[in-house]
Amino acid sequence: MTTNSIVTRPRKAGAALLATVALSGVLTACDEADGPQPATSSSAPTRTAGAAGSQQGGLADLAQRVVDAGAPGVIMRADSGSGQVTEIARQAPWSTGDHTLAATDQFRMGSNTKTMVATVLLQLIAEHRLELTDPVSKWLPGLVPNGGAITVRMLLNHTSGLFDYRDDPAVLKAFTGHDIRAWTPAELLAAAVRHDPLFGPGTSYTYSNTNYVALGLIAEKVTGQTMADLVQERIAKPLHLQNTYLVEGNGSGTDKSPTLAHGYEPDPTHIAALLPPWVPAGTTFAGPARPANYVDTTAGNASTEWAAGAMVSTAQDWATFDSALLSGKLLPPELLKEMKTTGPEEAEVPNRRYGLGLEQVTTPCGTVWGHNGQVAGYSSEAYTDDTGTRTASVLTATIFGLASPKAGGANQDLVNAAVCTMLGKPTPASSPTPVG
């Protein structure tokens, strides 16, 4: 695989749970026979609008390979901006008893949420209700130690130094579904600041979900509205996004939606070998048992996410949002430029640079903008070109089901192919299939 393929940057989610999922397939894991088992076939339709047959077939084959490698399901959407749109859904046969996956299904978008939340904050700045230079203490007095030295900009670009609340053991219990109590955003922030900061404000970079919980609280303080209402009023309704909303509380009942894709993680017997050594011993995901060594995490506790990752959307809705953002429909030019002003390449994944809730990503076929995200049972990558004309997304129904080299490599190949398709470039060669 090329060194500049899209790779999911390690992002901490409870003692760095997500750091294990580098979608390049370079991680070591248990033998394939001991992990989630591959499907022998899959179902769910392919929908196209003006897509060339050979291109569609190649993408469908790659999506099928993700499922055959062990993933419970995957949705892929690619729009070249010239009337060629391909939508594909594939799933393992055992998962159809829970839900028949469709390319139009709702999906938990994880940290892609940050791009939408950052957009709302920048809109408030455009209205002169907030400034990038405002200290946190101005809006959240007494809630963040040294808040006078941490600015809104530092929260947006992850240079605040705040500890990631998901690394707190109590929050980890909720993130993995073993605690169903609804955490409030203020409680998440308090869990973070119980720990020492990682570095002085503005002196370094570390991705921390705490930053976006703080930003959500600031937006609510500035406006007097809930973060969920702000998303609807400022983004979803103007863009006619019918399937996009921010989950509030623990999300109780949202998993009952007939159009919400189900998410899965390896069961307690098989998850241990897929986790990095620094994750606490005995860490597992809660959920009803399913075939192929999985548990269904769809009804997990969403309250650990909120403004950091609780958005539900669809591939098409998110493409509409990304297009509107990069084409300048949601922010004035000077603030879109601020959003796209990135820091240095990230040490762990050098093809990524972080801006203000938006990432610049170098791919085999060119530079794209977007984000990725993971919450229990759901992995998502969503990208657009510099003008918002072309979009691509891959939504996969697991995090740790991709931790084997075979499944991770297959998923990465699909992401690369989707991005190259949206950019009108030939699909790069697939990575060699790992053995064992």
Side-chain angles (χ1 to χ4, degrees), residues 146 150 158-163 196-207:
N146 202 23
I150 299 172
H158 297 292
T159 59
S160 71
L162 291 174
F163 181 89
D196 291 337
L198 304 175
F199 49 79
T203 63
S204 188
Y205 166 93
T206 292
Y207 187 94

Side-chain angles (χ1 to χ4, degrees), residues 25 36 62 84 124-125 227 319 344 390 421 436:
L62 288 171
Q84 295 185 350
L124 295 175
I125 290 169
M227 194 68 235
R390 305 163 181 261
T421 297

